[in-house]
Amino acid sequence: MKSVLITGASRGIGRATAIRAAREGWSVAVNYRTDRIAGDATLAAIRDVGAQAVLVPGDVTSETDVARMFREAESALGVLTGVVINAGIVAPSLRLVDMDVDRLRRMFEVNVLGAYLTAREAARVLLRGAGGAGGSIVLVSSAAARLGSPFEYVDYAGSKAALDTLAVGLAKELAEDGVRVNSVRPGIITTNIHASGGQPDRAERLGSGTPMGRPGLPEEVAEAIVWLLSDAASYVTGSILDVSGGR
Ligand code: NAP
């Protein structure tokens, strides 16, 4: 049985990935931070497709929480061979000159420190747990990493660039141990993250100006993530895959 832990799986891209993975036969550990109702809804959707699932709530910025999430996932589902590092935040649009230090600290705490702590635990667990059989780690970055997000959130863009760099470096550290590490860069995807940054209409507004003329769906990103998790991507590591409709 293959088992995957997905951070930030109560909504959006994480939730779509959880359901897609379940359809491919993965057991899924669903992490979220605050929204228990949304977490329960993802759990029910996974069980609806006949897969095993468990909720592993926790804040990815807490070293203790992250370690506990992995322990709970393995005790409920068995050895993990997949981890999707998806939890992330945005913030209201501002130029860098107007950003205060609390905002910058929070952005890098969740998106960078949270991802690094999760990746470190993932590496420990995949190396140890699979007894050398390894597994796959997928980081959810953003097209912002190469676009820079001027006048919106250059802090967010930089935090995502850190994840691309982590994928490249960690892939080299773990390759001989059979653990693959890749990054997916979504473009403008229809989820509630835009409302949390104060722009509920952002995906529709900016999506129409992209080469494909529309925003992407969380399910379209999930497809790429689940492929990278799978053995079908057995020779893919250290890669950064754009899922951005040509943007
Ligand atoms: P979303 O709908 O806002 O969902 C975010 C998820 O992350 C929720 O499950 C949330 O759980 C969780 N989360 C936030 N902070 C957390 C923390 N400290 N610890 C644990 N979980 C936490 O976001 P989304 O649009 O699906 O985005 C998912 C990922 O894709 C993010 O990394 C985002 O940067 C990236 N991305 C999104 C887009 C896009 O256009 N949507 C584009 C490029 C990249 P709670 O609600 O319980 O806090």
Side-chain angles (χ1 to χ4, degrees), residues 10-11 13 33-35 59-60 86 156 160 187 189 191 194:
S10 58
R11 297 199 308 262
I13 292 168
R33 186 175 67 95
T34 53
D35 191 346
D59 187 332
V60 295
N86 167 75
Y156 172 82
K160 291 301 182 176
I189 311 299
T191 73
H194 308 290

Side-chain angles (χ1 to χ4, degrees), residues 115-141:
Y116 270 71
L117 286 175
T118 311
R120 187 187 66 175
E121 201 61 29
R124 288 173 175 171
V125 162
L126 294 188
L127 289 176
R128 187 193 67 229
S136 172
I137 300 171
V138 181
L139 291 142
V140 182
S141 166

Side-chain angles (χ1 to χ4, degrees), residues 2-83:
K2 10 179 225 181
S3 300
V4 59
L5 185 152
I6 305 174
T7 64
S10 58
R11 297 199 308 262
I13 292 168
R15 174 187 159 89
T17 303
I19 296 167
R20 186 74 189 91
R23 289 209 173 95
E24 292 299 319
W26 290 86
S27 300
V28 186
V30 173
N31 161 258
Y32 64 95
R33 186 175 67 95
T34 53
D35 191 346
R36 170 76 198 241
I37 292 171
D40 278 337
T42 301
L43 203 68
I46 293 167
R47 289 179 177 158
D48 276 353
V49 304
Q52 262 191 290
V54 64
L55 281 183
V56 291
D59 187 332
V60 295
T61 68
S62 157
E63 185 178 25
T64 314
D65 280 12
V66 171
R68 181 185 41 74
M69 285 151 44
F70 277 80
R71 270 199 313 276
E72 289 174 359
E74 290 212 310
S75 87
L77 305 176
V79 168
L80 288 169
T81 53
V83 177

Side-chain angles (χ1 to χ4, degrees), residues 134-175:
S136 172
I137 300 171
V138 181
L139 291 142
V140 182
S141 166
S142 170
R146 59 179 163 72
L147 296 170
S149 304
F151 306 104
E152 281 199 310
Y153 20 66
V154 293
D155 51 347
Y156 172 82
S159 76
K160 291 301 182 176
L163 299 201
D164 290 346
T165 303
L166 174 59
V168 170
L170 189 60
K172 290 173 181 160
E173 285 191 2
L174 300 180

